[in-house]
Amino acid sequence: MSTTTVTAPRARLASYSRTFLDRHSSMMPTFAALLIFIALLIGAEMHFGNFLTPLNMSALLLNYAYLLILAVGMTFVIITGGIDLSVGSVMAFTGISCAKLLGEGYSAAVVIPAILLGGAAIGLLIGVLVQYFDVQPFIASLAGLFLARGLAFVVSLSSIRVENESVLWLQTTRWRFGEWYITPTGILALSVAAIGAFVLAFTRFGRTVYAVGGNEQSARLMGLNVARTKVLVYVISGVCGGLAGLVLTAYSGAGYPRNGIGTELDVIAAVVIGGTLLTGGTGYVLGSVIGVLVFATINTIIAYEGAEQAWTRIIIGLMLLMFIVVQRVIVVRSERRR
């Protein structure tokens, strides 16, 4: 038997082993986030005794549906190696615009597509700056942040109450399953997450998103449309910002130009905690969903405890630091194996 025939199976086995390890190591932060979420629930139940109730668990999705929608759009952006700091301001702009237009007598059938287009337009602007003017994503999205926030204050300097029944229906309706319930906003958030997960996992566009984040130059050499992909992920994030503006307006019953200040950092934290690498190329919508649930659970526990909300920032900050370190270790180990 020749040396070649012996070494070939070994080489294939080594290649398969590396692929297996790379795939599973990239999911380690997501598994870690899931374990943290479970540990938080168990610890809260042991401490409070009445935390794991259908009412509380249903309220997690009710209260943070807007954050989940934003996290889906941010996942697309970060997988390509970008960042979008404008999402909180886009949410405020579209939310106050929604309340203003509804107050002036426009129907929801006209207003909802209009605010989604408004969010998409800001996302398109950021994507064009990043791709065609070679502006760093941080700077381009920071410009989008100031633009959207300024437009929100142009629309109104004060809160505008929403009286439109079709918009309020999104939040006030409860579909009950025993002691559990879900609202249309919750179904909307879960639908966005499901669509985002499907697109990333099973479409050519999703594979291109991963390829661009993994190695943009290699993606170009493979003939992939890098420019269109990089612009579209910011458009998707902008649309998610517009949809989150609608959900938050329905949730609060009013539009307010100061909504969403600092929300972009909450979204980024949730996405990173869910396992999406800030360097790009790796990430899952499911992981981002878990990250949002971790964030929501920490907030709820702190509210139960009666402590100041500043502790949420401290805990999330420490967790974010831990996950960034874990991500860095995974990246270094993957590079060494290659």
Side-chain angles (χ1 to χ4, degrees), residues 177-326:
F177 308 92
E179 295 183 2
W180 296 82
Y181 70 85
I182 192 168
T183 63
T185 55
I187 291 177
L188 190 60
L190 292 176
S191 299
V192 170
I195 293 170
F198 177 83
V199 169
L200 281 177
F202 299 109
T203 66
R204 178 181 176 85
F205 173 73
R207 291 191 291 271
T208 305
V209 169
Y210 282 110
V212 171
N215 191 314
E216 186 174 324
Q217 186 60 33
S218 296
R220 284 198 177 92
L221 293 175
M222 288 189 293
L224 301 176
N225 197 328
V226 173
R228 183 180 65 184
T229 301
K230 290 181 70 175
V231 172
L232 277 179
V233 294
Y234 287 98
V235 173
I236 291 170
S237 183
V239 171
C240 287
L243 195 57
L246 171 66
V247 168
L248 186 60
T249 299
Y251 175 75
S252 60
Y256 186 49
R258 296 184 64 84
N259 276 340
I261 294 177
T263 300
E264 58 278 351
L265 303 181
D266 297 337
V267 177
I268 293 169
V271 171
V272 172
I273 288 171
T276 300
L277 293 183
L278 283 170
T279 52
T282 299
Y284 312 94
V285 170
L286 178 59
S288 297
V289 172
I290 296 171
V292 170
L293 291 176
V294 168
F295 181 89
T297 303
I298 291 173
N299 263 326
T300 305
I301 291 172
I302 290 174
Y304 257 65
E305 195 66 40
E308 294 184 6
Q309 288 299 312
W311 282 104
T312 301
R313 303 295 178 186
I314 295 171
I315 295 171
I316 292 296
L318 291 174
M319 289 181 61
L320 185 60
L321 179 62
M322 178 185 70
F323 273 82
I324 289 174
V325 171
V326 170

